[in-house]
Short mmCIF file of all heavy atoms in Angstrom, two decimals:
data_model
loop_
_atom_site.label_atom_id
_atom_site.label_comp_id
_atom_site.label_asym_id
_atom_site.label_seq_id
_atom_site.Cartn_x
_atom_site.Cartn_y
_atom_site.Cartn_z
N ALA E 58 10.02 -4.53 26.13
CA ALA E 58 10.05 -3.11 26.49
C ALA E 58 8.77 -2.42 26.04
O ALA E 58 8.23 -1.56 26.74
CB ALA E 58 11.27 -2.44 25.87
N ALA E 59 8.27 -2.79 24.86
CA ALA E 59 7.01 -2.25 24.39
C ALA E 59 5.86 -2.64 25.32
O ALA E 59 4.97 -1.83 25.60
CB ALA E 59 6.73 -2.74 22.96
N LYS E 60 5.90 -3.87 25.80
CA LYS E 60 4.87 -4.33 26.74
C LYS E 60 4.85 -3.47 28.00
O LYS E 60 3.79 -3.21 28.58
CB LYS E 60 5.14 -5.80 27.10
CG LYS E 60 4.09 -6.43 28.01
CD LYS E 60 2.78 -6.66 27.28
CE LYS E 60 1.80 -7.45 28.13
NZ LYS E 60 0.51 -7.66 27.43
N LEU E 61 6.03 -3.00 28.41
CA LEU E 61 6.14 -2.11 29.57
C LEU E 61 5.83 -0.66 29.23
O LEU E 61 5.79 0.20 30.11
CB LEU E 61 7.55 -2.19 30.15
CG LEU E 61 7.93 -3.47 30.89
CD1 LEU E 61 9.42 -3.44 31.25
CD2 LEU E 61 7.08 -3.67 32.14
N GLY E 62 5.63 -0.36 27.94
CA GLY E 62 5.37 1.00 27.51
C GLY E 62 6.59 1.89 27.53
O GLY E 62 6.49 3.11 27.66
N LEU E 63 7.78 1.30 27.34
CA LEU E 63 9.03 2.05 27.49
C LEU E 63 9.50 2.74 26.21
O LEU E 63 10.42 3.57 26.26
CB LEU E 63 10.16 1.11 27.96
CG LEU E 63 9.96 0.42 29.31
CD1 LEU E 63 11.19 -0.40 29.66
CD2 LEU E 63 9.64 1.43 30.41
N LEU E 64 8.88 2.44 25.08
CA LEU E 64 9.37 2.99 23.81
C LEU E 64 8.72 4.34 23.54
O LEU E 64 7.89 4.50 22.64
CB LEU E 64 9.11 2.00 22.66
CG LEU E 64 9.64 0.58 22.87
CD1 LEU E 64 9.38 -0.27 21.63
CD2 LEU E 64 11.11 0.58 23.24
N GLN E 65 9.12 5.31 24.33
CA GLN E 65 8.55 6.65 24.24
C GLN E 65 9.49 7.64 23.55
O GLN E 65 9.06 8.70 23.13
CB GLN E 65 8.21 7.15 25.65
CG GLN E 65 7.21 6.28 26.38
CD GLN E 65 5.89 6.13 25.63
OE1 GLN E 65 5.39 7.08 25.02
NE2 GLN E 65 5.33 4.92 25.65
N GLU E 66 10.77 7.29 23.48
CA GLU E 66 11.75 8.11 22.76
C GLU E 66 12.39 7.26 21.67
O GLU E 66 12.33 6.04 21.68
CB GLU E 66 12.82 8.64 23.72
CG GLU E 66 12.27 9.56 24.80
CD GLU E 66 13.39 10.20 25.59
OE1 GLU E 66 14.29 10.82 24.98
OE2 GLU E 66 13.37 10.09 26.83
N ASP E 67 13.02 7.95 20.70
CA ASP E 67 13.61 7.26 19.56
C ASP E 67 14.57 6.17 20.02
O ASP E 67 15.36 6.37 20.95
CB ASP E 67 14.33 8.23 18.64
CG ASP E 67 13.37 9.22 17.98
OD1 ASP E 67 12.15 9.05 18.14
OD2 ASP E 67 13.85 10.16 17.33
N VAL E 68 14.52 5.02 19.35
CA VAL E 68 15.35 3.87 19.68
C VAL E 68 16.42 3.71 18.61
O VAL E 68 16.11 3.64 17.42
CB VAL E 68 14.50 2.58 19.77
CG1 VAL E 68 15.38 1.38 20.11
CG2 VAL E 68 13.39 2.74 20.81
N ALA E 69 17.68 3.67 19.04
CA ALA E 69 18.79 3.47 18.11
C ALA E 69 19.09 1.98 17.99
O ALA E 69 19.34 1.31 19.00
CB ALA E 69 20.03 4.21 18.60
N VAL E 70 19.05 1.47 16.76
CA VAL E 70 19.26 0.05 16.52
C VAL E 70 20.37 -0.13 15.48
O VAL E 70 20.32 0.46 14.41
CB VAL E 70 17.98 -0.64 16.01
CG1 VAL E 70 18.23 -2.12 15.73
CG2 VAL E 70 16.84 -0.47 17.01
N ASN E 71 21.36 -0.95 15.82
CA ASN E 71 22.39 -1.34 14.87
C ASN E 71 22.41 -2.86 14.81
O ASN E 71 22.40 -3.53 15.86
CB ASN E 71 23.77 -0.84 15.30
CG ASN E 71 23.89 0.67 15.23
OD1 ASN E 71 24.21 1.22 14.19
ND2 ASN E 71 23.63 1.34 16.34
N ALA E 72 22.43 -3.42 13.60
CA ALA E 72 22.45 -4.87 13.47
C ALA E 72 23.29 -5.27 12.27
O ALA E 72 23.22 -4.64 11.21
CB ALA E 72 21.03 -5.42 13.32
N ILE E 73 24.06 -6.32 12.46
CA ILE E 73 24.96 -6.81 11.42
C ILE E 73 24.54 -8.21 11.01
O ILE E 73 24.21 -9.04 11.87
CB ILE E 73 26.43 -6.77 11.89
CG1 ILE E 73 27.37 -7.16 10.76
CG2 ILE E 73 26.65 -7.63 13.14
CD1 ILE E 73 28.84 -6.87 11.09
N THR E 74 24.51 -8.47 9.71
CA THR E 74 24.06 -9.76 9.20
C THR E 74 25.11 -10.41 8.32
O THR E 74 25.95 -9.74 7.71
CB THR E 74 22.75 -9.61 8.39
OG1 THR E 74 22.25 -10.91 8.04
CG2 THR E 74 22.97 -8.80 7.14
N GLY E 75 25.06 -11.73 8.25
CA GLY E 75 25.96 -12.49 7.40
C GLY E 75 25.57 -12.42 5.93
O GLY E 75 24.47 -11.98 5.57
N SER E 76 26.45 -12.89 5.07
CA SER E 76 26.26 -12.76 3.63
C SER E 76 25.09 -13.58 3.11
O SER E 76 24.51 -13.25 2.07
CB SER E 76 27.54 -13.17 2.89
OG SER E 76 27.91 -14.50 3.22
N THR E 77 24.69 -14.66 3.81
CA THR E 77 23.55 -15.45 3.35
C THR E 77 22.25 -14.66 3.41
O THR E 77 21.28 -15.02 2.75
CB THR E 77 23.40 -16.73 4.19
OG1 THR E 77 23.35 -16.38 5.58
CG2 THR E 77 24.55 -17.68 3.93
N GLY E 78 22.24 -13.56 4.18
CA GLY E 78 21.06 -12.72 4.22
C GLY E 78 20.75 -12.05 2.89
O GLY E 78 19.63 -11.59 2.66
N ALA E 79 21.73 -12.01 2.00
CA ALA E 79 21.53 -11.39 0.69
C ALA E 79 21.05 -12.39 -0.36
O ALA E 79 20.85 -12.02 -1.52
CB ALA E 79 22.84 -10.75 0.21
N GLY E 80 20.86 -13.65 0.04
CA GLY E 80 20.38 -14.66 -0.91
C GLY E 80 21.51 -15.33 -1.67
O GLY E 80 22.68 -14.94 -1.59
N GLN E 81 21.15 -16.36 -2.45
CA GLN E 81 22.14 -17.19 -3.13
C GLN E 81 22.67 -16.59 -4.42
O GLN E 81 23.79 -16.88 -4.84
CB GLN E 81 21.54 -18.57 -3.41
CG GLN E 81 22.57 -19.61 -3.83
CD GLN E 81 21.99 -21.00 -3.87
OE1 GLN E 81 20.79 -21.18 -4.08
NE2 GLN E 81 22.81 -22.00 -3.65
N LYS E 82 21.86 -15.73 -5.05
CA LYS E 82 22.30 -15.14 -6.31
C LYS E 82 23.49 -14.22 -6.08
O LYS E 82 23.42 -13.30 -5.27
CB LYS E 82 21.15 -14.35 -6.96
CG LYS E 82 21.47 -13.83 -8.35
CD LYS E 82 20.27 -13.12 -8.96
CE LYS E 82 20.58 -12.59 -10.35
NZ LYS E 82 19.41 -11.90 -10.96
N PRO E 83 24.61 -14.43 -6.75
CA PRO E 83 25.82 -13.62 -6.51
C PRO E 83 25.58 -12.14 -6.82
O PRO E 83 24.82 -11.79 -7.72
CB PRO E 83 26.85 -14.22 -7.48
CG PRO E 83 26.35 -15.59 -7.80
CD PRO E 83 24.85 -15.49 -7.76
N GLY E 84 26.25 -11.31 -6.06
CA GLY E 84 26.17 -9.87 -6.29
C GLY E 84 27.46 -9.21 -5.84
O GLY E 84 28.32 -9.83 -5.20
#
């Protein structure tokens, strides 16, 4: 979309990640 020059207004992004994204150290 950026290549097409379409990012002219604010882009809403939602993303969900698994627990391994927080690393191995428990928290």
Side-chain angles (χ1 to χ4, degrees):
K60 184 71 173 179
L61 288 173
L63 299 183
L64 306 183
Q65 300 302 321
E66 297 188 54
D67 294 353
V68 179
V70 179
N71 292 274
I73 185 168
T74 186
S76 58
T77 53
Q81 193 170 27
K82 186 177 180 180

